[in-house]
Amino acid sequence: MADKYEKVLELAKRRGFLWNSFELYGGTAGFYDYGPLGAMLKRRVENIWRDIFVINEGYYEIESPTIGIEDIFIASGHVGGFSDPLTECQECHEAFRADHLIQDITDNPDTLSADEVSGLIKSNNIICPECKGALGDVYEFNLMFKTNIGPGGKRAGYLRPETAQGMFVDFPRLVKFYRDHLPFGATQIGKTYRNEISPRQGVIRLREFTQAEAEIFIDPRVKTHPGFSEVSDIKLTLFSQEGQDTGKSEIITLGEAVQKGTIAHEFLAYCIARTHQYLLRVGISPDKLRFRQHMKDEMAHYAADCWDAEILSDRFGWVETVGIADRTDYDLKAHARQSETELTVYVPYDKPKTVTRLAVKPDMGVLGPRFKGKAGKIVSALKDLKLKDLTGDFIELTIEDEKIRIEKELVDVGSVTEEIHGENIVPHVIEPSFGIDRIIYSLLEHAYFEEEVEVEGKKEPRIVLRLPPEVAPVQAAVLPLLTKEELIKPAREITESLRKKGILTAYDDSGTIGRRYRRNDEIGTPYSITIDYQTLDDCTVTIRDRDTMKQVRAPLEGIAGNIYDLLYSGSFREWC
Amino acid sequence: MADKYEKVLELAKRRGFLWNSFELYGGTAGFYDYGPLGAMLKRRVENIWRDIFVINEGYYEIESPTIGIEDIFIASGHVGGFSDPLTECQECHEAFRADHLIQDITDNPDTLSADEVSGLIKSNNIICPECKGALGDVYEFNLMFKTNIGPGGKRAGYLRPETAQGMFVDFPRLVKFYRDHLPFGATQIGKTYRNEISPRQGVIRLREFTQAEAEIFIDPRVKTHPGFSEVSDIKLTLFSQEGQDTGKSEIITLGEAVQKGTIAHEFLAYCIARTHQYLLRVGISPDKLRFRQHMKDEMAHYAADCWDAEILSDRFGWVETVGIADRTDYDLKAHARQSETELTVYVPYDKPKTVTRLAVKPDMGVLGPRFKGKAGKIVSALKDLKLKDLTGDFIELTIEDEKIRIEKELVDVGSVTEEIHGENIVPHVIEPSFGIDRIIYSLLEHAYFEEEVEVEGKKEPRIVLRLPPEVAPVQAAVLPLLTKEELIKPAREITESLRKKGILTAYDDSGTIGRRYRRNDEIGTPYSITIDYQTLDDCTVTIRDRDTMKQVRAPLEGIAGNIYDLLYSGSFREWC
């Protein structure tokens, strides 16, 4: 029997949600097209993300290129370390993830080097799963798609493996945009790429996919969140490090989780709350959602804490869909090093601090003529001196490998007291990172129901996608009861008026009304509007609710506004 | 003095619309980032496109990968012909567009072969513009970014040079989605790539850019449009082939243009109308917009007609921004050939046609045993025979290179009369193709004004972006008159309520109120809401209009709804 994944994909293919890419040419693993309904669903899922993170949280979206230059990915570590171990069959030349081949032999294949994996493959006589040929040596295969920018091989380009780097590279511009006020954040929704060795999990593991990421730059000393009280009562399922040790998740409020220290701090917990709200709003079942903390050995060495939103799917079990991490100052420091640029924010103190420091004043009247072109460098070096360097009669300096000696009396040493109003700090980064494609597959699966319904006294099966009205691709269907000109005309006009209001409306006059309802149930159309002969008499139509299949008679006047309100606030404007 | 391009870019950079990509690492020509305001502006410009073409015209959006496989671009002609002639300096190794170097020497460098361009460079002693070194031989440089899918060099991948191919490749799925009803259309808004040899026109010529394209599949015999009467009175500036010969454009209605045969047909004219409406709606000045017809020698050989929307810019003159073409059946036939798949739509006749055809009925009792395994193929061959093949005593067939002879009496030849209900046809394609980045630059330029205004009796300069409210990135600013807690609190609450309504709202309490107005004028914020001490008394605020700088006093109650109505319908709900 078909499992749910198969059923959902069959529907998704047939009705235009998801199509294998390049099917006309035989297809290629790891690529999916969003068909007409899928792309619209995706737009809506992305727009809700924008509503929460961009408009309401105020983390502006940016858009940086999908092609990046090498420096970026050297700094980020992707050139060096973004790879999977690969082994190729010596006979059929099929490539395999070497770590997958030894999954049953060792507990932690991820932690082994290529040589160690090679060794295990040989010592266990593992052969090609396809043709039983011998497997070659294991090597690390970099998962970035590589290309060249401009002619010749002079300038390497990489398709970005995450959108995040765009925000880090733009950090100096962002600091100015936000006029040096921490915390601030920037977001990006866009394509990212991962040249998988041999992807085998359908829509769950893609070579080209969409991420929505926020990089929120915060003062490392202030990891509270001013809005935390709004979300501290939210209850959700946490699967903490401790819980994983004992195999138990717990349902707990975020307030408690922070207080007990399960979640490192308020800011992270706040992001978990917004993620939770987002996922429920787009249609993820609350009982199929949990937040799992990364174990100590799976967390990046620099991360302070990291939680994944995991969504339960029928075939794949708990699937990692969102990662929410405190990445500390790792990324900014890496880019500062690589670009030789200071990446800091000036943070003023509440009260100025008074400090006393050494003031060194060289006698330029003598030093200038004596050292000419070198004098500038000598002055800088003198100003950097510490008190301990000034004890003898002479000051010793090394300028451009040359030892220089200056008489103490040529340098006036005193001290000055200054008020310091603030300091430059490297912010910490909180990063919620969403895999949009996995969310879309998951919400389709959670919305998919096969039911038996009674229609005119007879039982018949129906498939219904119980999508939240806000994400349903087709928002309303307009159905003339019969294919008669006198019904078609008002039906067309109603369709127009709904579309003018921005409501994606399908007009459908082919087949029995029952069949048209079924068709719309299957794609999750929340409301179907039927025009019949009574419409011509009294200017009313029926509005049918997808989930309950109940119909109400409603006036034609203001229908577009009323469907709009039904979609976005779940209630009719005045009547009904 | 700075020209307008420079002024607009300075503002765009400073205020977060457009940033040079990878600036932290020195930048790379041909790449631009959309900063916080630019990305939001872009989203809105894209969403208006969706509103017109997807929701109102009903051409569903799809989303196919940005990476494509080689077959696609062999079929489309990009592997063979998507190139520019390149010459490299033998000294400094800088690469140049060879056709650009001979622009002053010949009128039509585009039409020359690489060898001819090479010849002209040599005979005219053209040297490297950078270092005066000798230039190398000219060759065609393919403009697609190339990469590899999966490990090894086995499977080439290309970054798509246009979104259009995604719709063509999905044609079989789209036909089913639209249940075989012509016309139907599919659209895509997404990244496309062009590996320019050495891009030198800033935001006008990018290596990575965004297209919005519609591929509309129509019956080749029906190029009228049911909605044409709605747009036939629209007047616009046409620069036809004839007009270009005489150097004159004309302002004419679309109805007239079709009637005179200037525009090939209604369907194309309808698309020009929607394009015109779209461009004005996002903020292009009508007096800086014209539609230019491709000249016979610049049009693709297969195209029936093609018009570019051109937008006037201060530095670059008339810039091609949208192309609207009747591409006939070229693309579908090319993919049908390459994929060996029939790409047609079954179109039923209004009335069935009666046809009489030859009916050939072989005597299987004899032929079956005689030819065994081959019998099936022989029967098919017999059924394909024409009357002229059946004149002798024997029928001659060639099956798998073997000549076969069959006695005439073993084949009963008659005729049958049949009703045919329709036929398979290859649709024609109408393609409106929009360059989103050029539109965004252009509307910024057209919205940019430097003015002298009177503030409290004094004249001062202001820069204002007169963006249509619908596209302005920041839609409202909330400004407490003074940085006092009693004003900040309601200001924060108003900000929240606007954001909840989906309105992108900036809260700003730093600097004088005049300075904050200036700041918002410069980024095109349509409405600024000021909270003052009167607010605390009578629950009113002032709303300031960006363009007129007029202020009205308005009640706090329902402010979010009212700003929403102002933005999207240009009027207050009830009061005022």
Side-chain angles (χ1 to χ4, degrees):
Chain A
M1 225 185 72
D3 71 354
K4 210 161 179 191
Y5 179 79
E6 230 165 294
K7 285 179 177 182
V8 171
L9 268 236
E10 186 280 325
L11 172 71
K13 231 173 243 195
R14 184 165 46 81
R15 297 308 309 276
F17 285 92
L18 289 165
W19 292 335
N20 289 90
S21 297
F22 328 128
E23 212 181 13
L24 186 61
Y25 292 105
T28 301
F31 294 94
Y32 262 87
D33 278 23
Y34 287 92
L37 301 187
M40 190 44 78
L41 173 64
K42 185 163 181 269
R43 283 301 86 70
R44 301 195 195 285
V45 164
E46 289 167 352
N47 280 338
I48 293 174
W49 198 92
R50 273 189 192 106
D51 186 48
I52 293 177
F53 289 95
V54 181
I55 295 183
N56 280 284
E57 293 300 318
Y59 304 137
Y60 278 91
E61 190 178 354
I62 65 167
E63 188 178 313
S64 58
T66 57
I67 299 177
I69 59 175
E70 192 155 43
D71 278 327
I72 296 170
F73 303 114
I74 290 173
S76 70
H78 288 96
V79 167
F82 186 59
S83 60
D84 279 336
L86 178 152
T87 177
E88 198 179 298
C89 171
Q90 307 291 78
E91 304 291 327
C92 72
H93 300 288
E94 182 76 17
F96 300 93
R97 281 276 298 265
D99 52 338
H100 286 178
L101 298 178
I102 53 163
Q103 251 166 353
D104 300 336
I105 293 164
T106 177
D107 272 349
N108 42 5
D110 301 355
T111 60
L112 302 179
S113 73
D115 284 349
E116 288 168 326
V117 177
S118 254
L120 277 177
I121 285 180
K122 289 211 176 94
S123 63
N124 287 277
N125 296 313
I126 294 172
I127 50 173
C128 172
E130 300 284 332
C131 81
K132 305 198 187 303
L135 292 169
D137 281 342
V138 175
Y139 66 94
E140 288 293 329
F141 173 71
N142 193 292
L143 299 176
M144 282 195 292
F145 285 98
K146 194 175 180 180
T147 188
N148 287 298
I149 299 171
K154 287 175 237 164
R155 181 136 220 182
Y158 296 91
L159 295 184
R160 63 182 178 193
E162 58 180 19
T163 66
Q165 297 306 321
M167 279 77 97
F168 295 133
V169 170
D170 281 344
F171 180 78
R173 289 274 175 198
L174 288 168
V175 172
K176 278 186 208 153
F177 178 81
Y178 284 103
R179 287 184 266 136
D180 299 285
H181 289 323
L182 286 178
F184 65 81
T187 60
Q188 201 164 181
I189 302 180
K191 289 294 185 91
T192 47
Y193 305 83
R194 199 183 155 105
N195 198 7
E196 296 286 349
I197 291 170
S198 82
R200 279 182 189 140
Q201 284 179 284
V203 294
I204 296 299
R205 192 160 292 281
L206 295 171
R207 283 173 162 148
E208 176 172 338
F209 51 104
T210 298
Q211 278 186 326
E213 293 190 298
E215 307 301 319
I216 311 165
F217 300 97
I218 67 173
D219 187 325
R221 299 156 302 188
V222 188
K223 296 196 171 179
T224 53
H225 192 291
F228 188 67
S229 63
E230 281 172 44
V231 301
S232 61
D233 286 342
I234 292 177
K235 267 195 177 167
L236 32 70
T237 307
L238 292 190
F239 197 33
S240 65
Q241 288 173 356
E242 225 171 64
Q244 289 166 72
D245 282 336
T246 60
K248 268 187 212 151
S249 58
E250 60 178 336
I251 297 173
I252 182 174
T253 68
L254 284 166
E256 257 184 289
V258 170
Q259 211 174 8
K260 282 170 49 180
T262 310
I263 300 175
H265 51 77
E266 276 188 9
F267 211 105
L268 207 62
Y270 183 85
C271 291
I272 289 174
R274 290 295 176 224
T275 300
H276 182 253
Q277 290 172 324
Y278 169 70
L279 291 172
L280 300 194
R281 186 165 156 198
V282 298
I284 298 301
S285 303
D287 55 329
K288 292 178 180 171
L289 171 62
R290 72 178 184 193
F291 289 83
R292 188 183 71 80
Q293 191 171 31
H294 278 208
M295 297 301 281
K296 287 251 155 61
D297 61 354
E298 84 184 289
M299 210 170 343
H301 64 91
Y302 48 79
D305 194 7
C306 182
W307 292 78
D308 287 343
E310 294 186 329
I311 299 178
L312 190 60
S313 98
D314 199 53
R315 179 181 288 191
F316 305 107
W318 289 101
V319 176
E320 170 198 344
T321 309
V322 185
I324 305 149
D326 179 343
R327 299 178 58 86
T328 67
D329 56 12
Y330 177 79
D331 308 275
L332 287 178
K333 281 193 169 160
H335 281 290
R337 238 183 346 261
Q338 182 71 16
S339 65
E340 298 176 4
T341 308
E342 204 191 22
L343 298 178
T344 58
V345 178
Y346 179 80
V347 178
Y349 298 132
D350 289 341
K351 280 186 219 163
K353 287 186 187 170
T354 306
V355 291
T356 303
R357 63 164 183 82
L358 207 62
V360 175
K361 206 177 155 203
D363 183 342
M364 288 312 290
V366 178
L367 295 179
R370 190 192 292 176
F371 293 106
K372 301 199 179 70
K374 245 177 230 164
K377 285 196 176 154
I378 288 172
V379 171
S380 307
L382 288 170
K383 295 204 166 168
D384 287 345
L385 291 176
K386 304 268 177 304
L387 201 56
K388 66 175 170 51
D389 304 322
L390 298 165
T391 47
D393 289 340
F394 290 92
I395 299 166
E396 311 261 358
L397 298 172
T398 308
I399 303 291
E400 291 170 354
D401 292 334
E402 189 191 338
K403 290 232 181 271
I404 286 171
R405 222 168 192 241
I406 293 166
E407 303 84 332
K408 177 81 167 289
E409 57 265 31
L410 292 178
V411 181
D412 179 32
V413 178
S415 75
V416 283
T417 300
E418 283 181 333
E419 278 207 334
I420 300 187
H421 296 266
E423 64 185 302
N424 289 317
I425 61 158
V426 182
H428 279 196
V429 168
I430 310 297
E431 176 190 83
S433 169
F434 291 67
I436 294 294
D437 312 86
R438 289 185 177 183
I439 291 172
I440 287 171
Y441 169 73
S442 304
L443 71 87
L444 282 175
E445 188 180 299
H446 294 188
Y448 181 96
F449 288 89
E450 291 174 0
E451 300 178 344
E452 198 167 63
V453 294
E454 214 175 281
V455 178
E456 291 165 14
K458 279 184 292 185
K459 297 217 165 181
E460 53 173 71
R462 76 160 182 167
I463 293 172
V464 58
L465 279 190
R466 297 185 184 277
L467 297 170
E470 209 187 349
V471 304
V474 175
Q475 300 176 296
V478 175
L479 318 170
L481 188 65
L482 303 167
T483 334
K484 299 282 182 192
E485 190 49 34
E486 62 270 29
L487 298 182
I488 288 175
K489 204 169 160 276
R492 289 272 185 207
E493 275 171 26
I494 293 167
T495 304
E496 287 277 292
S497 76
L498 289 163
R499 288 178 175 174
K500 286 233 165 75
K501 191 91 190 163
I503 297 167
L504 198 141
T505 310
Y507 169 87
D508 187 358
D509 63 13
S510 88
T512 66
I513 192 76
R515 202 164 150 192
R516 284 181 274 164
Y517 285 149
R518 269 326 76 76
R519 230 161 22 214
N520 277 292
D521 289 344
E522 209 176 52
I523 61 169
T525 311
Y527 303 105
S528 295
I529 299 159
T530 305
I531 288 84
D532 53 21
Y533 282 97
Q534 193 184 329
T535 307
L536 305 181
D537 279 349
D538 66 0
C539 284
T540 62
V541 292
T542 63
I543 299 178
R544 173 181 177 275
D545 176 75
R546 175 198 67 200
D547 293 341
T548 61
M549 301 195 296
K550 284 206 179 115
Q551 302 189 20
V552 294
R553 200 91 213 162
L556 206 48
E557 171 139 12
I559 186 87
N562 276 312
I563 293 289
Y564 188 92
D565 289 348
L566 268 175
L567 287 166
Y568 292 103
S569 61
S571 64
F572 276 111
R573 193 167 287 175
E574 44 211 21
W575 41 274
C576 190
Chain B
M1 222 185 75
D3 71 354
K4 209 159 177 192
Y5 178 79
E6 230 166 292
K7 286 179 176 181
V8 171
L9 269 237
E10 187 279 327
L11 173 70
K13 229 172 246 194
R14 184 164 46 81
R15 298 307 310 275
F17 286 92
L18 290 165
W19 292 334
N20 288 90
S21 298
F22 327 130
E23 211 180 14
L24 185 62
Y25 293 104
T28 301
F31 294 94
Y32 262 87
D33 278 24
Y34 286 92
L37 301 186
M40 190 45 78
L41 172 64
K42 184 161 183 268
R43 283 301 86 69
R44 301 196 196 282
V45 164
E46 290 168 350
N47 280 338
I48 293 175
W49 198 93
R50 271 189 193 107
D51 185 47
I52 293 177
F53 289 95
V54 181
I55 294 182
N56 279 284
E57 293 300 317
Y59 304 137
Y60 279 90
E61 189 178 356
I62 65 167
E63 188 179 314
S64 57
T66 57
I67 299 177
I69 59 175
E70 192 154 44
D71 277 326
I72 296 170
F73 303 113
I74 291 174
S76 69
H78 287 98
V79 167
F82 186 60
S83 60
D84 279 335
L86 178 152
T87 178
E88 199 181 296
C89 171
Q90 309 290 81
E91 305 292 326
C92 72
H93 300 288
E94 182 76 16
F96 299 94
R97 278 278 297 265
D99 52 337
H100 287 178
L101 298 177
I102 54 163
Q103 250 165 354
D104 301 335
I105 293 164
T106 177
D107 272 349
N108 42 6
D110 300 354
T111 61
L112 302 179
S113 73
D115 284 350
E116 287 168 329
V117 177
S118 253
L120 278 176
I121 285 180
K122 287 206 177 98
S123 63
N124 286 278
N125 296 317
I126 295 173
I127 50 173
C128 172
E130 300 284 333
C131 81
K132 305 199 188 302
L135 293 169
D137 282 340
V138 175
Y139 66 94
E140 289 292 330
F141 173 71
N142 193 292
L143 299 176
M144 284 194 293
F145 286 96
K146 196 175 178 177
T147 187
N148 287 299
I149 300 171
K154 288 175 234 162
R155 180 135 222 183
Y158 296 91
L159 296 185
R160 63 183 178 193
E162 56 180 22
T163 65
Q165 297 306 321
M167 281 75 99
F168 296 131
V169 170
D170 281 344
F171 180 79
R173 289 274 175 199
L174 288 168
V175 172
K176 276 186 211 156
F177 178 80
Y178 284 104
R179 286 184 267 134
D180 298 285
H181 290 322
L182 287 178
F184 65 80
T187 60
Q188 202 163 178
I189 303 180
K191 288 295 185 89
T192 48
Y193 305 83
R194 199 183 154 106
N195 198 7
E196 297 286 349
I197 291 170
S198 81
R200 279 182 189 141
Q201 285 179 283
V203 293
I204 297 298
R205 192 159 294 280
L206 295 172
R207 282 173 163 148
E208 177 172 338
F209 50 105
T210 297
Q211 279 187 323
E213 295 191 296
E215 307 300 320
I216 311 165
F217 300 97
I218 67 172
D219 187 325
R221 298 157 304 188
V222 189
K223 295 195 171 179
T224 52
H225 193 290
F228 188 66
S229 63
E230 281 171 44
V231 302
S232 61
D233 286 341
I234 292 177
K235 266 194 178 166
L236 33 70
T237 307
L238 292 190
F239 197 33
S240 65
Q241 288 172 358
E242 227 172 62
Q244 289 167 72
D245 283 336
T246 60
K248 268 185 210 152
S249 58
E250 59 178 336
I251 296 174
I252 183 175
T253 68
L254 284 166
E256 257 184 287
V258 170
Q259 211 176 8
K260 284 170 49 180
T262 311
I263 299 175
H265 51 77
E266 276 187 7
F267 212 105
L268 208 60
Y270 183 85
C271 291
I272 290 174
R274 290 292 178 229
T275 301
H276 182 254
Q277 291 172 324
Y278 169 70
L279 292 173
L280 300 193
R281 188 166 155 197
V282 299
I284 298 302
S285 303
D287 56 327
K288 292 179 180 171
L289 172 63
R290 72 178 183 193
F291 289 83
R292 188 182 71 80
Q293 191 170 32
H294 278 208
M295 297 301 280
K296 287 251 155 59
D297 62 354
E298 84 184 289
M299 210 173 337
H301 64 90
Y302 49 78
D305 194 8
C306 183
W307 293 78
D308 286 345
E310 294 185 331
I311 300 178
L312 190 60
S313 96
D314 199 53
R315 178 180 289 191
F316 304 107
W318 288 102
V319 176
E320 171 198 343
T321 309
V322 185
I324 305 151
D326 179 344
R327 300 179 57 88
T328 68
D329 55 12
Y330 178 78
D331 309 274
L332 287 179
K333 280 191 170 161
H335 281 290
R337 238 181 350 259
Q338 181 72 16
S339 65
E340 299 178 1
T341 308
E342 204 189 22
L343 298 178
T344 57
V345 179
Y346 179 79
V347 178
Y349 297 132
D350 289 341
K351 279 184 221 164
K353 285 185 188 172
T354 305
V355 293
T356 302
R357 64 166 182 83
L358 208 63
V360 176
K361 204 179 158 203
D363 184 342
M364 288 311 290
V366 177
L367 295 179
R370 192 194 290 175
F371 293 106
K372 302 198 178 69
K374 245 176 231 165
K377 284 195 176 157
I378 289 171
V379 171
S380 309
L382 287 170
K383 294 203 165 170
D384 286 344
L385 291 177
K386 303 271 177 302
L387 201 55
K388 68 177 168 55
D389 304 321
L390 298 165
T391 47
D393 289 341
F394 290 93
I395 299 165
E396 312 262 359
L397 298 173
T398 309
I399 303 291
E400 291 173 352
D401 292 333
E402 189 190 336
K403 291 234 180 266
I404 286 171
R405 223 169 191 238
I406 294 165
E407 301 85 334
K408 177 79 167 287
E409 59 265 27
L410 292 178
V411 181
D412 180 31
V413 177
S415 75
V416 282
T417 299
E418 282 182 334
E419 280 206 332
I420 300 187
H421 295 265
E423 64 185 302
N424 288 315
I425 61 159
V426 182
H428 279 195
V429 168
I430 310 296
E431 179 191 81
S433 169
F434 291 66
I436 294 295
D437 313 85
R438 289 184 176 185
I439 291 172
I440 287 170
Y441 170 73
S442 304
L443 71 87
L444 282 174
E445 188 181 300
H446 294 189
Y448 181 96
F449 288 88
E450 290 174 0
E451 299 177 344
E452 197 168 63
V453 294
E454 215 176 281
V455 178
E456 290 165 14
K458 279 184 289 184
K459 297 216 165 182
E460 55 174 69
R462 76 158 180 167
I463 293 173
V464 57
L465 278 190
R466 297 185 184 277
L467 297 170
E470 209 186 349
V471 304
V474 175
Q475 300 177 298
V478 176
L479 318 170
L481 188 66
L482 303 167
T483 332
K484 299 280 181 193
E485 189 48 34
E486 62 270 31
L487 299 182
I488 289 175
K489 202 166 162 276
R492 288 271 183 207
E493 273 171 29
I494 294 167
T495 304
E496 287 275 294
S497 77
L498 289 162
R499 288 178 173 174
K500 285 234 164 75
K501 190 89 190 165
I503 297 167
L504 198 141
T505 310
Y507 170 86
D508 186 358
D509 62 13
S510 87
T512 67
I513 192 77
R515 200 161 153 194
R516 283 180 273 164
Y517 284 149
R518 268 326 76 78
R519 227 158 28 209
N520 277 292
D521 289 344
E522 207 176 52
I523 61 169
T525 312
Y527 303 105
S528 295
I529 299 159
T530 305
I531 287 81
D532 54 20
Y533 281 98
Q534 193 182 329
T535 307
L536 305 182
D537 277 350
D538 66 1
C539 283
T540 62
V541 292
T542 65
I543 299 178
R544 173 182 178 274
D545 177 74
R546 173 198 69 201
D547 294 341
T548 60
M549 302 195 296
K550 286 208 178 112
Q551 302 190 20
V552 293
R553 198 95 212 160
L556 206 49
E557 170 139 12
I559 186 87
N562 276 311
I563 292 289
Y564 188 91
D565 289 349
L566 268 175
L567 287 166
Y568 293 103
S569 61
S571 64
F572 275 114
R573 195 168 285 175
E574 46 210 18
W575 42 275
C576 194

